[in-house]
């Protein structure tokens, strides 16, 4: 954990508790995890030794309740295991039979006297002790390998010489902090009407709410809306980020603040605060939660500018500094400067967030958090979560790894990630391994396939196939993913030389015909709908850490599985999906995939049945299997491993 | 660091102090290391940003004094660097010239007023501020890139918004803890005489001392002697580890203890405690330090067995348990059991070590420390080092990585390592990278090429070439290495099926003709002598962390360099060695090596001169060079990079 911050999990997550434990010499040890839930209930879990020479131990536990959990590791000398190992070897070698029988009888007799063992167990232990009273190699071998005894000592070991670790904290958040399908849209575009004179009448919360059933119908969980505050007019950007807005250009919603108000206000063209609340309720009625944008910056017209010029940087010529990354300038935006009046800024930001929480918002997508102090976020998130632990913050920090990780460590529940820029098989394997196995104790990547700011070359040049491939991978490789409205329409034309859509929705209204596109068979909505359905049906897809990579003979064919043991699915049956994706959107690939089938309990070489959840096709598979993936027809298999009937 | 133990260094070590530091946004930062030496003197060191996207920073500092050092990192906003970057970019773009000039003048004027700047510096700063009074793009560009100003601010940055880390501890030990060439031998063999009846008269400390000039003459620093205590007779092992000793068999020196005494006594056949002290003095006179074996176990005849049976494991049949690893048994040795009377055992072991420290011993080679409690070693080493910080403990723990690392972390100054089993190019690169760059903050590997217990297959089957190759690598790849007597005679016959010498010296006397072998040209002593001479002449070889691996087109040709900057050599000139080793002892290899010459300050493609320190040959090299390495003639180049004259 960076900086010693506590580890995190989400309710429903299967958490691997790991520790390195050993003792001197050759005697066997055991390790327990002692776990205390938010309401004080305690449980004890036996760890399993990893067989990789690292002295690592692990116990996987499904964490069910949000709140603060405490845990510690307790190691002990496992006297029965030490004896049983020596007894078996010596019985077979015919040495030290009397002394090993005597030691065994001692151990078993002592265990039989333990009051919290069942009567049946005590009888079995006493009987075994009796069998060792007369030294005999065969009896010694039999007792040292007796399954009933092994089970009795597995449940309650003959432990001595305990060594107890420090109590540690695990912060557990609600399920949506770790699992969910997100859909981003601009409320003003939904229901916008182009008038005869060419000007546009903005959509409102009322008209935008009409889109909610469509989004919910695709199976999304979160509806993320870009800022809905009044937009400044000074230096307002025109279409395609031009410096001068034409009359009627709506301006970037990130240029927050106008005479009508700032971060606590609603853009008059969208409606009123009451309309906003109605929108939040309408979403809730569709099982959608609203995620609001938190962009802590101001247009030159923001009330803060006149009321609190000390929150900005004043230049020697008396003007306030624009946002810039020399020589680039963002003239419609003043960045905050936290150095002059941190207390004032902290208090105002807390007020703003509380205000929206009071309107029913429990999720905030935070714009550019890496340009504000880390300790500010640590403080703000802690303050808000102390009042309401259900509030979730998503960090939009497309920056260096150390900064992204630090933001996650100090409190952000989710993080945008490098996913959009990881498109080859090798890149995806490296990236997904990192987020699932290296940083998963504190950072949860939200695998957005695109945003209003990001249209990667892969999507620009990969056609419809690229959109299908990326959606399939995002929806299955991690438990949180997202799309920005228009993805389903394959809006893939970029502003020349840039990595964003031409006619970016940040600067203008967009008019889209969702139903028409779907009727004409042009929409990817049916695919998104099916992917979200598969996610709901398969608990293995709702975990972050359970991904395993397999092999193929083709550099463009990515293979991974997501597996959840029967103990954790809630159905009593394991859940296993195998994803085979052709990540080259321009070709047909035929190759052989090589699978470590032991992960889903199949002996290498044995047969099992798989069903493609996208097409319904079924095959008999083994550990090495032929696949053919046609980018233009069927670029990805999402296979369910069927249980033998 | 495992378990949060403090980092370690040795006096003379160039230590890289690393930290991850960043701030929000795009402004520049700087980082200082504040370092406090054992006597309280403080120094400040500027860190350099790594250019690898990790936000890592590093400062290399040569640590000169043993003792407890404290250090902390101090980060700050580097206002001049932030301004200079923006000013340069904006001057070139022709934007914001007046405001950038005004900001610069402010900054420079404030710096000029700082009282601890020199008069010349203040003048330069004032003059620069004056140049910016009138806005001008050319002046702005000139001032923002002025070398004098950059130097002034590098020495004393315009720092604001400091952020200070926690104080941390660095334990610095004497040079021999980190640098040294070790030579192991059995004192009883040196001067042993075979009588006419076939029995042997043991060598003594007096006769053994006659070997010291020979060892010192080869340039070794440490003379390590196996245990010199009385040896038990009960269950004494015979030659080649047989269960019954013949009359006259001396027994394993690891079966410690007899009626004549235990761990604080001297074997009567070797002499007296006075003789031992004389041996230690004789070694010192040859610039050799004696390392003593600390094997905490007892023969059945050890006084502890009758005086403290509770320090051993008593079986149900009343006997004491032998050492064993079922079904293997070591009938001549009783292991200690620390569980019954830890206080008694701790006190006795402290007494034993103090006893030998009082006889002049400052180095202990600890036998099998991983079979005793970790906390015992932590306590014992701390107790001894509190009384005498010069005492060095070497851990002979050939066990799992986590255990080896923990022993180093809790206090052992040096560790035997997996070096003997790392013989291919790939194995050596992985192993040397790990010990030099991953665990070097707390673990120092002693690269023994062989021991009385280890004769690897590589040495068994690789002939004389294998011995030469391994000595060259051990002596140059790490600052601490060792050989066991007989290595120079290429004693490479193993007991069949084992990984140790036939007729192991543990169970019998060895008679060796050092001078004769050298006269006949059969000895590797001249090579060892030359290697130790090279080590003395080249400070780059006396560092652990400064190894870099290069490339060759041949899987058997290993290439690495050891480089030390001019700031750290004491000569004012850098020191660079390039080692090219053919690790296949059975063939001639011709290949091309590819070098990152930037490490020694040579632009890729440029020429420089190298001299082979083993043969005196010189070549003009570039970044890609042809080599021919004949295992039977010249398997290794040890090349010195010559400074251009």
């Amino acid at each position: 954990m960076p900086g010693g911050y506590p580890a995190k999990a989400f309710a429903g997550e299967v958490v691997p508790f790991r520790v390195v434990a050993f003792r001197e010499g050759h005697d066997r040890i055991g390790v327990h995890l002692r776990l205390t839930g938010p309401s004080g209930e305690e449980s004890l879990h036996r760890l399993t030794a990893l067989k990789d020479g690292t002295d690592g131990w692990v116990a996987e536990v499904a964490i069910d309740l949000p709140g603060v959990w405490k845990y510690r590791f307790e190691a002990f000398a496992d006297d029965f295991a030490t004896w049983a190992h020596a007894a078996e070897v010596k019985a077979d070698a015919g040495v030290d039979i009397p002394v090993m029988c005597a030691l065994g009888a001692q151990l078993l007799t002592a265990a039989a006297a333990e009051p919290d063992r069942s009567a049946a167990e005590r009888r079995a232990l006493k009987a075994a002790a009796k069998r060792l009273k007369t030294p005999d190699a065969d009896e010694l071998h039999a007792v040292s390998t007796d399954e009933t005894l092994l089970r009795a000592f597995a449940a309650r070991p003959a432990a001595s010489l305990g060594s107890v670790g420090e109590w540690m904290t695990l912060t557990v958040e609600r399920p949506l902090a770790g699992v969910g399908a997100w859909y981003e849209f601009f409320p003003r575009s939904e229901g916008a009407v182009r008038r005869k004179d060419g000007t546009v009448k903005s959509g409102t919360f009322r008209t935008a709410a009409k889109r909610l059933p469509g989004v919910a119908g695709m199976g999304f969980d979160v509806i993320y809306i870009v800022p809905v505050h009044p937009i400044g007019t000074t230096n307002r950007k025109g279409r395609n980020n031009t410096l001068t807005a034409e009359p009627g250009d709506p301006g970037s919603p990130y240029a927050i603040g106008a005479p009508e108000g700032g971060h606590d206000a609603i853009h008059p063209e969208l409606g009123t605060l009451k309309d906003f609340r109605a929108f939040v309720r309408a979403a809730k009625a569709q099982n959608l939660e609203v995620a609001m944008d938190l962009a802590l910056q101001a247009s030159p017209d923001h009330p803060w500018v006149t009321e609190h010029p000390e929150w900005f940087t004043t230049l020697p010529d008396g003007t306030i500094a624009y946002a810039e990354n020399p020589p680039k300038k963002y003239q419609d935006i003043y960045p905050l400067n936290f150095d002059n009046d941190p207390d004032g800024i902290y208090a105002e930001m807390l007020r703003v967030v509380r205000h929206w929480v009071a309107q029913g918002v429990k999720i905030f997508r935070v714009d550019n958090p890496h340009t504000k102090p880390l300790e500010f976020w640590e403080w703000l998130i802690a303050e808000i979560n102390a009042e309401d632990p259900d509030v979730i913050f998503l960090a939009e920090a497309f920056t260096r790894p150390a900064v992204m990780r630090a933001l996650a460590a100090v409190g952000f529940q989710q993080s945008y990630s490098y996913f959009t820029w990881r498109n080859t098989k090798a890149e995806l394997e490296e990236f997904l391994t990192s987020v699932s196995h290296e940083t998963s104790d504190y950072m949860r990547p939200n695998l957005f396939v695109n945003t209003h700011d990001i249209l990667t070359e892969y999507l620009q040049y990969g056609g419809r196939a690229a959109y299908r491939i990326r959606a399939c991978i995002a929806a299955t490789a991690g438990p949180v993913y997202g799309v920005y409205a228009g993805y389903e329409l394959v809006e893939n034309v970029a502003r020349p030389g840039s990595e964003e859509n031409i006619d970016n929705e940040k600067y203008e209204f967009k008019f889209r015909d969702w139903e028409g596109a779907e009727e004409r068979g042009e929409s990817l909505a049916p695919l998104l709908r099916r992917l979200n359905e598969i996610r709901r049906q398969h608990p293995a897809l709702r975990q972050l850490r359970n991904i395993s990579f397999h092999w193929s003979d083709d550099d463009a064919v990515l293979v991974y599985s997501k597996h959840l043991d029967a103990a954790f699915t809630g159905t009593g049956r394991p859940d296993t999906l195998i994803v085979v994706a052709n990540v080259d959107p321009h070709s047909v690939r035929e190759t052989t995939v090589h699978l470590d089938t032991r992960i889903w309990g199949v002996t290498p070489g044995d047969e099992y049945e798989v069903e493609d959840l996208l097409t319904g096709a079924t095959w008999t598979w083994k550990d090495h299997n032929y696949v053919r993936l046609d980018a233009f027809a069927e670029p990805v298999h999402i296979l369910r491993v069927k249980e033998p009937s």
Side-chain angles (χ1 to χ4, degrees), chain A:
Chain A
M1 294 296 311
Y5 287 91
K8 281 189 240 172
F10 57 87
E13 185 165 22
V14 177
V15 176
F17 291 85
R18 296 174 196 279
V19 70
V20 171
F22 54 81
R23 67 168 292 190
E24 71 278 7
H26 307 290
D27 287 358
R28 301 300 166 96
I29 67 165
V31 185
H32 277 136
L33 165 73
R34 191 174 295 274
L35 196 57
T36 308
S39 47
E41 68 286 7
E42 196 173 278
S43 60
L44 204 65
H45 308 263
R46 189 79 182 264
L47 277 76
T48 305
L50 301 177
K51 293 187 175 63
D52 58 358
T54 60
D55 288 290
W57 296 74
V58 67
E60 288 197 330
V61 182
I63 297 295
D64 49 0
L65 289 176
V68 176
W69 292 63
K70 298 276 175 188
Y71 64 99
R72 72 175 189 194
F73 297 102
E74 303 176 358
F76 53 87
D78 187 337
D79 294 337
F80 180 78
T82 300
W83 172 82
H85 170 70
E88 185 184 352
V89 172
K90 290 183 170 187
D92 296 351
V95 299
D96 293 345
I97 307 301
V99 75
M100 290 314 295
C101 286
L103 281 171
Q106 255 178 28
L107 246 167
L108 293 161
T109 306
E114 287 165 353
D116 51 351
R117 292 202 183 267
S118 72
E121 226 173 63
R122 288 209 296 274
R123 268 196 306 279
L125 292 162
K126 268 187 215 163
K130 204 171 165 193
R131 289 166 70 186
L132 297 178
K133 285 291 179 215
T134 316
D136 180 272
D138 291 341
E139 284 290 339
L140 183 62
H141 182 101
V143 170
S144 66
T145 56
D146 183 288
E147 286 292 335
T148 310
L149 297 177
L150 293 176
R151 267 199 305 277
F153 283 105
R156 191 191 148 84
S160 63
L161 301 171
S163 169
V164 172
E166 296 286 302
W167 282 106
M168 290 174 284
T169 297
L170 176 71
T171 305
V172 179
E173 293 156 336
R174 65 176 173 129
L176 212 54
V179 187
W182 289 48
Y183 190 88
E184 173 190 354
F185 87 134
F186 283 62
R188 70 185 179 194
S189 284
E190 286 299 325
V193 179
R194 195 181 295 283
R195 299 190 192 92
K196 284 198 179 140
D197 64 359
T199 63
V200 176
K201 181 175 179 300
S202 173
T204 65
F205 281 123
R206 279 167 200 273
T207 59
K210 295 187 182 152
R211 175 68 183 136
L212 294 174
V215 175
M218 282 188 282
F220 286 96
D221 305 298
V222 176
I223 181 89
Y224 150 44
I225 53 175
V226 299
V228 291
H229 314 300
I231 296 170
T233 50
T234 303
N235 294 328
R236 175 177 285 190
K237 293 287 181 85
R239 297 181 173 212
N240 284 307
N241 202 22
T242 46
L243 285 179
T244 37
E246 301 294 319
D249 281 351
S252 166
Y254 291 90
I256 296 171
E260 297 84 3
H263 282 71
D264 53 1
I266 291 289
H267 194 305
E269 292 189 359
L270 289 171
T272 64
L273 199 56
K274 199 175 152 202
D275 294 334
F276 175 78
R277 284 196 301 265
F279 178 83
V280 172
R281 279 196 306 275
K284 204 162 283 175
Q286 299 283 337
N287 284 320
L288 282 168
E289 264 201 53
V290 169
M292 207 172 173
D293 216 311
L294 192 63
L296 299 185
Q297 55 196 24
S299 97
D301 308 320
H302 197 294
W304 288 341
V305 176
T306 43
E307 290 164 21
H308 293 285
E310 73 277 14
W311 292 355
F312 303 92
T313 301
T314 301
L315 297 170
D317 60 6
T319 64
I320 289 178
Y322 304 124
E324 61 176 340
N325 191 0
K328 277 197 268 181
K329 294 195 167 206
Y330 306 92
Q331 296 91 337
D332 56 341
I333 289 169
Y334 288 165
L336 290 168
N337 178 339
F338 281 71
D339 300 334
N340 300 327
D341 176 23
D343 292 349
I345 292 189
Y346 277 40
E348 170 68 356
M349 301 310 148
L350 181 61
R351 188 190 68 78
V352 165
V353 175
R354 278 179 177 157
H355 169 71
W356 294 112
V357 171
Q359 313 307 317
V361 175
K362 299 283 181 110
I363 310 180
F364 295 89
R365 176 269 193 196
V366 179
D367 195 67
N368 281 329
H370 56 294
T371 59
K372 288 94 194 170
L374 199 60
E375 63 183 10
F376 163 69
W377 295 116
E378 183 176 358
W379 172 85
L380 181 71
I381 296 171
E383 287 286 319
I384 293 294
N385 280 165
E387 294 165 6
D388 187 342
D390 283 350
V391 178
I392 293 167
F393 294 86
L394 162 65
E396 189 236 18
F398 294 115
T399 181
R400 305 180 308 283
V403 183
M404 292 177 70
R405 291 174 183 176
L407 287 163
V410 305
F412 277 94
Q413 281 78 6
Q414 288 184 16
S415 310
Y416 280 74
S417 71
Y418 302 134
F419 178 69
T420 47
W421 298 285
R422 300 295 181 264
N423 291 289
T424 67
K425 174 182 173 179
E427 285 168 358
L428 281 162
E429 285 181 349
E430 190 276 341
F431 167 78
L432 292 169
T433 298
S434 167
V435 295
S436 304
H437 298 302
E438 292 163 18
T439 56
S440 44
D441 285 340
Y442 62 96
M443 188 163 79
R444 302 189 194 103
N446 190 325
L447 307 182
F448 262 91
V449 287
N450 69 331
T451 77
H452 61 264
D453 278 329
I454 306 173
L455 179 69
T456 59
E457 291 197 349
Y458 185 88
L459 294 178
Q460 293 178 32
Y461 302 113
R464 197 174 175 75
Y467 277 65
R468 294 179 64 192
I469 295 163
R470 296 293 294 177
C472 288
I473 295 174
T476 58
V480 200
Y481 88 110
V483 306
Y484 156 54
Y487 190 86
E488 58 270 58
L489 304 186
V490 193
E491 292 178 352
N492 63 0
V493 180
R495 181 156 53 82
S498 85
E499 207 183 31
E500 61 182 67
N501 281 96
I502 195 161
D503 306 329
N504 192 316
E505 198 168 0
K506 274 209 290 191
Y507 312 110
E508 60 189 275
F509 297 96
K510 302 299 270 190
F511 303 88
R512 299 181 178 103
D513 177 12
W514 306 113
E515 288 79 12
E518 195 164 344
E519 275 163 26
R520 290 189 298 276
E522 291 166 8
S523 172
L524 293 180
L527 175 64
L528 297 176
R529 197 174 293 129
R530 180 62 185 141
L531 289 172
N532 288 331
E533 188 177 38
I534 294 169
R535 288 166 54 87
R536 279 181 209 278
Q537 288 164 354
H538 290 279
L541 296 182
R542 301 200 298 271
Q543 298 287 332
L544 173 58
R545 313 178 197 236
N546 63 340
I547 196 166
S548 302
F549 291 91
H550 302 264
W551 305 267
S552 83
D553 299 336
D554 189 311
D555 271 356
V557 176
L558 172 72
V559 193
Y560 56 87
S561 65
K562 298 274 285 188
H563 170 79
L564 200 59
D565 280 345
F568 302 122
T569 55
T571 63
R573 300 163 74 88
D575 186 36
T576 308
L577 297 181
I578 306 166
V579 178
V580 188
N582 170 11
V583 298
D584 173 8
H586 303 290
S587 70
V588 181
R589 300 276 176 156
E590 291 185 75
T591 189
T592 303
V593 298
H594 309 283
L595 304 170
D596 184 353
T597 59
R598 292 170 303 181
I599 293 170
W600 45 96
V602 171
T603 305
D606 284 1
E607 293 185 341
Y608 54 100
E609 302 292 311
V610 297
E611 175 195 354
D612 191 323
L613 296 173
L614 294 177
T615 64
T618 61
W619 295 286
T620 300
W621 268 29
K622 299 179 71 172
D623 42 0
H624 306 286
N625 310 284
Y626 164 84
V627 293
R628 181 180 192 280
L629 293 165
D630 181 344
F632 309 103
E634 226 188 286
V636 181
H637 288 324
I638 302 178
L639 305 172
R640 171 175 79 90
V641 174
K642 295 167 86 168
E643 283 281 278
S645 49

